[in-house]
């Protein structure tokens, strides 16, 4: 049973369909107490970081308790960004702080000074980085992105993507993973990531 957390900022319908295609039983927790019924947690997300403010202290405490107990977790897009300390997109809203560092806006420029469109929207490649890996994520595979802010490259980075400058497109620490791309919109490569998570590949 996988808990798919609804805090009003996720495209839950498409994520739920993708999870069911991977053979998962999906639980929509009505409150933080329901997380205890789940074998794993997914936090999806799309849009502004301020939306994560609706994950109040009771949700934050319950999620942190489950992560400390070793329950697998996958953050998608905004859900991955929430794992960090905070974001310049909404400086007053704290992240979970499970990973060090802050989310910053994409530069919108190449090293040569050429302009890039922000948000970064469309297909791009993820390259394996560091020693940690997100199961199901194939080095050099293309995934679908849509975001204007991104995570820094740290020792928790499992994959990077280049858009002007490199950013962390996948992270992992223990059984806690995050992906900046949308696996539910990334065809077979995205389903491979979800299938590995559903199958307990962490």
């Amino acid at each position: 049973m996988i808990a798919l957390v609804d805090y009003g900022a996720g495209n839950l319908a498409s994520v739920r369909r993708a999870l069911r295609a991977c053979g998962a039983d999906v639980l929509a927790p009505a409150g933080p107490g329901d997380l205890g019924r789940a074998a794993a947690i997914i936090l999806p997300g799309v849009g502004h970081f301020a939306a994560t403010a609706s994950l109040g202290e009771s949700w934050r405490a319950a999620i942190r308790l489950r992560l400390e107990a070793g329950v697998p977790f996958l953050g998608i897009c905004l859900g991955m960004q929430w794992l960090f300390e905070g974001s310049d997109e909404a400086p007053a809203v704290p992240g979970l702080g499970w990973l060090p560092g802050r989310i910053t806006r994409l530069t919108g420029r190449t090293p040569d000074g050429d302009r890039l469109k922000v948000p970064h929207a469309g297909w791009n490649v993820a390259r394996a980085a560091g020693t940690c890996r997100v199961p199901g994520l194939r080095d050099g595979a293309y995934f679908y992105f849509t975001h204007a802010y991104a995570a820094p490259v740290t020792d928790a980075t499992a994959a990077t993507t280049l858009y002007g400058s490199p950013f962390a497109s996948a992270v992992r620490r223990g059984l806690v993973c995050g992906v900046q791309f949308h696996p539910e919109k990334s065809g077979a490569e995205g389903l491979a990531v979800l299938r590995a998570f559903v199958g307990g590949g962490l």
Side-chain angles (χ1 to χ4, degrees), residues 22-60:
C22 294
D25 291 324
V26 181
L27 164 71
D34 289 341
L35 294 180
R37 299 165 51 197
I41 301 169
I42 292 181
L43 185 73
V46 63
H48 201 282
F49 193 85
T52 65
S54 63
L55 291 167
E57 190 52 43
S58 58
W59 275 107
R60 293 165 62 86

Side-chain angles (χ1 to χ4, degrees), residues 65-186:
L65 186 66
R66 300 303 290 155
L67 300 193
E68 290 171 348
V71 172
F73 178 97
L74 177 65
I76 296 174
C77 195
L78 189 58
M80 169 183 144
Q81 295 181 8
W82 184 72
L83 289 171
F84 288 81
E85 295 171 38
S87 173
D88 290 352
E89 187 174 28
V93 178
L96 184 64
W98 192 261
L99 299 176
R102 290 186 64 81
I103 306 301
T104 58
R105 185 172 173 82
L106 294 168
T107 62
R109 290 189 180 275
T110 68
D112 295 330
D114 296 329
R115 288 182 178 272
L116 296 169
K117 290 183 179 180
V118 176
H120 169 214
W123 295 83
N124 206 339
V125 66
R127 296 287 184 189
T131 58
C132 53
R133 293 289 179 267
V134 170
L137 197 162
R138 185 175 62 84
D139 182 25
Y142 280 79
F143 298 94
Y144 185 79
F145 293 82
T146 176
H147 62 115
Y149 287 75
V153 177
T154 69
D155 61 2
T157 300
T160 62
T161 294
L162 183 63
Y163 195 72
S165 57
F167 62 87
S169 51
V171 296
R172 179 175 181 180
R173 176 162 291 172
L175 298 183
V176 177
C177 296
V179 293
Q180 180 59 62
F181 54 83
H182 286 274
E184 76 281 5
K185 296 182 178 180
S186 297

